Amino acid sequence: MLGFVENHSSPRTAAFFDLDKTVIAKSSALTFSKSFYQGGLISRRAALRTAYTQFVFLAGAADHDQMERMRTYLSALCKGWNVQQVKELVAETLHELIDPIIYDEAASLIEQHHAAGRDVVIVSTSGAEVVEPIGELLGADRVVATRMVVGDDGCYTGEVEYYAYGPTKAEAVRELAESEGYDLARCYAYSDSITDVPMLEAVGHPHAVNPDRALRREATAREWPILVFTRPVRLKQRLPSFSLPPRPALIAAAAVGAAAAAGIVWYASRRRHAAAG
């Protein structure tokens, strides 16, 4: 798709990917509503409402106000959920729900960036308990995601500790660049949403992927490349020998700025690094 050649003697670089409708064809958080319903976390009515919210999201009608309402709704919905149960439900249904909706074009692009020596970072508004295992499935090196406050009882309080959305995504990108030594002028970023313009502006190579109308206008005006991903393909179809190895441990990043201090940037060691070690 795109030819990348990285000079390994130069400063490090990374490719930052939004997740929903950029790497996968749906909303990662909303995709698990059926699993949460079957696991007893949400009611049938809530599951139906979540399905409608997914439809609005996919129809491209989720503007800033819609996203804010979605955040409020999901925060209230998950209040009282046991975090360990959520993680177990996600792990049990990850391949069934997420594998079929990964864009083949995005998976190829991730492979190309890795082959060029770049780190791959998933930057998503969805919750960390959902985004982190998806990041591992994709072979991402790092994940930035929304984090909910967890009470002493191991359950969500309904409050948001860190919201990875809009300008805060760009802040996280800059903090990672500072801590990891990324040269942002030589980094890449991909997103479908106008709300991610701050993140796209932060790098030297921004790309609009399946852009909403507002981002398409912005990308056209700024002469940013516009990519169209249309082929969700199971990873096993792309890689017949593919099998998910045991989940590597995730460790918190060094505290760099308020976002990292809040524990929202997590590191997932690349599987090939683990194999090499």
Side-chain angles (χ1 to χ4, degrees), residues 54-69:
Q54 177 81 273
F55 169 77
V56 172
F57 180 81
L58 293 176
D63 57 15
H64 174 77
D65 292 340
Q66 285 274 10
M67 289 294 290
E68 284 297 310
R69 285 194 289 272

Side-chain angles (χ1 to χ4, degrees), residues 20-21 26-27 30 53-62 67 70:
D20 301 346
K21 293 201 291 187
K26 298 181 180 180
S27 161
L30 299 177
T53 305
Q54 177 81 273
F55 169 77
V56 172
F57 180 81
L58 293 176
M67 289 294 290
M70 191 184 303

Side-chain angles (χ1 to χ4, degrees), residues 132-229:
E132 286 168 5
I134 294 176
E136 290 169 13
L137 180 66
L138 294 166
D141 303 281
R142 290 162 179 79
V143 164
V144 177
T146 293
R147 303 198 71 83
M148 302 294 294
V149 176
V150 180
D152 295 336
D153 59 356
C155 297
Y156 295 120
T157 67
E159 298 176 347
V160 178
E161 179 179 348
Y162 172 83
Y163 190 36
Y165 177 75
T168 60
K169 282 189 176 184
E171 291 169 8
V173 165
R174 286 190 286 268
E175 287 170 2
L176 265 180
E178 182 177 347
S179 64
E180 297 303 303
Y182 298 144
D183 179 359
L184 285 179
R186 295 171 57 243
C187 287
Y188 293 71
Y190 304 85
S191 178
D192 70 292
S193 175
I194 187 64
T195 62
D196 282 342
V197 164
M199 180 179 76
L200 295 172
E201 289 177 329
V203 302
H205 301 284
H207 293 73
V209 177
N210 298 340
D212 57 30
R213 292 176 184 174
L215 180 58
R216 181 175 292 276
R217 287 195 299 268
E218 191 75 14
T220 300
R222 298 187 184 214
E223 298 184 341
W224 291 346
I226 296 175
L227 307 179
V228 178
F229 295 169

Side-chain angles (χ1 to χ4, degrees), residues 1 5 8 33 60 92 99 136 139 142 154 165 168 189 191 249 256 265 268:
M1 186 181 300
V5 177
H8 294 282
S33 61
E92 289 170 4
D99 200 346
E136 290 169 13
R142 290 162 179 79
Y165 177 75
T168 60
S191 178
V256 178
V265 182

Side-chain angles (χ1 to χ4, degrees), residues 72-151:
T72 301
Y73 168 65
L74 292 176
S75 297
L77 184 66
C78 74
K79 183 178 180 179
W81 289 5
N82 180 274
V83 177
Q84 188 57 38
Q85 184 182 4
V86 171
K87 290 181 177 180
E88 290 172 358
L89 288 170
V90 170
E92 289 170 4
T93 56
L94 180 66
H95 281 279
E96 174 190 348
L97 297 177
I98 298 300
D99 200 346
I101 62 174
I102 297 171
Y103 283 122
D104 182 42
E105 299 95 332
S108 296
L109 197 53
I110 287 171
E111 291 171 353
Q112 290 180 49
H113 280 297
H114 272 156
R118 295 188 189 89
D119 285 348
V120 169
V121 184
I122 303 297
V123 188
S124 175
T125 303
S126 294
E129 286 74 19
V130 169
V131 179
E132 286 168 5
I134 294 176
E136 290 169 13
L137 180 66
L138 294 166
D141 303 281
R142 290 162 179 79
V143 164
V144 177
T146 293
R147 303 198 71 83
M148 302 294 294
V149 176
V150 180

